[in-house]
Amino acid sequence: MNNDLLRKYIHEFISDSKNNPDKFTQDWKERIDLISYYQSFSKEKMLKMNEEDIFEYISKLWAMLIWGNKHYVVDKLIEVNTLPHFKKLLIDLVWGNEDISERWNNFRGHVKGMGPAMISEILCKTHPKDFMLWNRRAYVGLNHLEVKNLPRYDYQLTGKVYKYLCNICKDISKELINAGFNDSTLLAVDYFLWDKLQVEDKLSKIHTKRPIVDKTKEEISEESKIIHNDVRDKLRDIGQWLGFTSNIEKKVSEGSKVDTIWEATIGNMGRVIYIFEVQTKGSIDSLILNLLKSLNNPAVQGVVAVSDAKQLEIIRKHAFDVKDLKDKLKYWDYEEILKVHESLEFVNENINKLGLVPQSF
């Protein structure tokens, strides 16, 4: 991290806070209120949460600004995870005794439909001295400060990486305190990054390829699982934003359960379904067989294999000899999906800020 650059921005930040105290007081009050709210959820209180409690708990997150119909999102979250399962894993994440890297990986590996922005926001607002808030703005700010080894995509944000980022933000917090700022929480660090470090020239470099880092077999296996789940969930989000009824891990025909489906009803023509199957590891023949079986459902009008460029080429070669599949199978690089998701997320967040559609609609 470039400490000289950090101190320059901290000086500007503190100066701004003194010159515009009303704005800072108002913003601070919002953060203090949110900390109080999330800290009020003890382990015992969380055990008693019902579906409406979960909705209120999740819908207050800033990460939910990208969604117009928050009830739909939370209802889906409960549906795919079940209420008892979700509560247990949420309690383990927030109040567990294991190292945060283990709790993070356990939650991400077993809960569908929640990404790092939502997870880290809950942790940060419940334990603001210990855990940082990760989102696109945090990436841009820390990147401008020349912090090394930042995760570009959600799948790269493992528990080990999240712990590293928390330690980076604790270092920034110490610099803020040393400069005379009176809040040592990592939520204050988030405010600093949001207020001073949204530097536009860094945004164009977001998708720059990173050098390959050596990893253990365990790390590769864990990352592969997270990539799969991350891309699967983002495909569901994209479908919802485009107006489809979108679901994950759905059975579409006998012997075929697929990662993501987009479904639409077109007048009196009935249903139209598009299938997406994410491949990060495992048998490509099994992937092709699963997609082939999905075509037994007459509503399925398109099937898409999702993977990296190298594996997509292998899938293409395998599918070439499968007569009933080769002309119907489409191919989508998962890095392109992540970029599409980010773009649509930005669009939806800004439109939803206008408040054109009430929550009760």
Side-chain angles (χ1 to χ4, degrees):
M1 181 162 57
N2 186 329
N3 287 308
D4 290 336
L5 190 62
L6 171 62
R7 291 173 189 132
K8 168 183 174 291
Y9 281 111
I10 286 176
H11 175 76
E12 293 178 7
F13 177 67
I14 292 176
S15 177
D16 288 349
S17 69
K18 292 176 180 177
N19 293 333
N20 194 355
D22 290 343
K23 175 182 179 297
F24 273 73
T25 299
Q26 182 178 344
D27 290 343
W28 250 197
K29 184 180 184 305
E30 178 191 2
R31 283 159 174 76
I32 291 170
D33 289 346
L34 286 168
I35 289 172
S36 297
Y37 173 78
Y38 282 96
Q39 287 185 336
S40 73
F41 283 85
S42 63
K43 179 178 179 180
E44 292 71 27
K45 183 176 179 179
M46 292 174 83
L47 282 168
K48 298 176 182 177
M49 292 170 82
N50 58 28
E51 292 186 3
E52 277 305 309
D53 296 328
I54 294 289
F55 169 75
E56 183 180 356
Y57 186 87
I58 298 295
S59 65
K60 285 182 178 290
L61 297 172
W62 294 325
M64 287 290 286
L65 288 172
I66 62 174
W67 296 106
N69 188 341
K70 294 179 175 58
H71 261 295
Y72 178 84
V73 176
V74 178
D75 288 348
K76 279 290 183 183
L77 185 66
I78 294 171
E79 178 187 333
V80 299
N81 293 292
T82 75
L83 183 60
H85 180 70
F86 178 73
K87 285 200 299 183
K88 178 185 182 303
L89 288 166
L90 183 63
I91 291 168
D92 289 344
L93 172 74
V94 176
W95 298 111
N97 295 319
E98 294 82 7
D99 186 81
I100 187 56
S101 60
E102 295 178 30
R103 286 148 54 193
W104 179 276
N105 286 340
N106 182 57
F107 190 85
R108 288 213 66 198
H110 294 93
V111 171
K112 303 166 188 172
M114 283 185 71
M118 294 174 71
I119 299 168
S120 65
E121 189 175 340
I122 288 171
L123 287 169
C124 183
K125 289 176 178 176
T126 309
H127 305 288
K129 289 186 177 293
D130 299 317
F131 303 126
M132 62 90 68
L133 196 159
W134 177 260
N135 52 29
R136 183 171 179 267
R137 292 182 182 277
Y139 173 87
V140 172
L142 294 175
N143 190 39
H144 186 62
L145 291 175
E146 301 174 16
V147 174
K148 304 298 183 184
N149 302 318
L150 292 176
R152 177 59 202 97
Y153 296 117
D154 286 353
Y155 72 81
Q156 297 167 326
L157 215 164
T158 61
K160 180 180 178 181
V161 173
Y162 181 65
K163 185 175 180 179
Y164 161 74
L165 293 170
C166 289
N167 289 332
I168 291 291
C169 287
K170 287 174 184 176
D171 290 340
I172 295 174
S173 174
K174 290 175 184 176
E175 291 289 345
L176 282 165
I177 293 298
N178 290 340
F181 199 66
N182 60 2
D183 191 322
S184 63
T185 67
L186 301 194
L187 198 57
V189 172
D190 171 75
Y191 185 51
F192 163 67
L193 295 174
W194 173 80
D195 187 67
K196 297 305 300 180
L197 286 158
Q198 298 311 295
V199 184
E200 291 299 321
D201 68 337
K202 293 292 179 182
L203 297 178
S204 62
K205 300 176 182 177
I206 278 178
H207 296 292
T208 302
K209 293 282 186 180
R210 302 297 177 79
I212 296 173
V213 179
D214 289 337
K215 297 176 182 177
T216 66
K217 288 183 178 180
E218 291 76 14
E219 288 174 327
I220 292 171
S221 177
E222 183 66 34
E223 183 174 283
S224 178
K225 181 179 180 181
I226 291 174
I227 292 173
H228 177 276
N229 294 348
D230 184 35
V231 174
R232 175 201 65 196
D233 291 349
K234 281 178 166 50
L235 281 166
R236 178 205 54 208
D237 294 347
I238 292 169
Q240 288 177 200
W241 286 327
L242 294 178
F244 292 96
T245 299
S246 189
N247 288 288
I248 59 174
E249 296 188 355
K250 294 290 287 186
K251 181 179 178 180
V252 292
S253 65
E254 191 61 37
S256 178
K257 183 179 181 182
V258 297
D259 287 318
T260 308
I261 70 166
W262 295 354
E263 182 177 344
T265 301
I266 304 177
N268 60 0
M269 294 174 61
R271 295 186 306 155
V272 173
I273 296 174
Y274 302 100
I275 299 295
F276 300 85
E277 190 71 359
V278 182
Q279 179 79 5
T280 54
K281 65 176 183 177
S283 169
I284 289 176
D285 288 337
S286 295
L287 166 83
I288 289 174
L289 181 60
N290 195 39
L291 290 173
L292 193 59
K293 287 180 178 178
S294 74
L295 291 172
N296 291 329
N297 184 335
V300 174
Q301 298 299 303
V303 290
V304 183
V306 177
S307 192
D308 58 62
K310 183 178 179 180
Q311 286 201 84
L312 286 177
E313 190 56 38
I314 297 172
I315 294 169
R316 195 188 305 272
K317 290 177 180 177
H318 278 242
F320 183 79
D321 295 324
V322 183
K323 182 179 65 173
D324 294 333
L325 184 64
K326 69 174 183 177
D327 294 331
K328 296 181 180 179
L329 183 58
K330 310 300 179 184
Y331 306 88
W332 203 355
D333 190 313
Y334 73 78
E335 289 206 0
E336 293 300 319
I337 291 170
L338 299 178
K339 293 175 187 177
V340 169
H341 184 277
E342 184 173 77
S343 298
L344 288 174
E345 182 180 67
F346 177 78
V347 169
N348 278 273
E349 180 178 351
N350 278 273
I351 290 174
N352 289 331
K353 283 179 181 177
L354 299 175
L356 299 177
V357 181
Q359 276 299 299
S360 58
F361 182 76

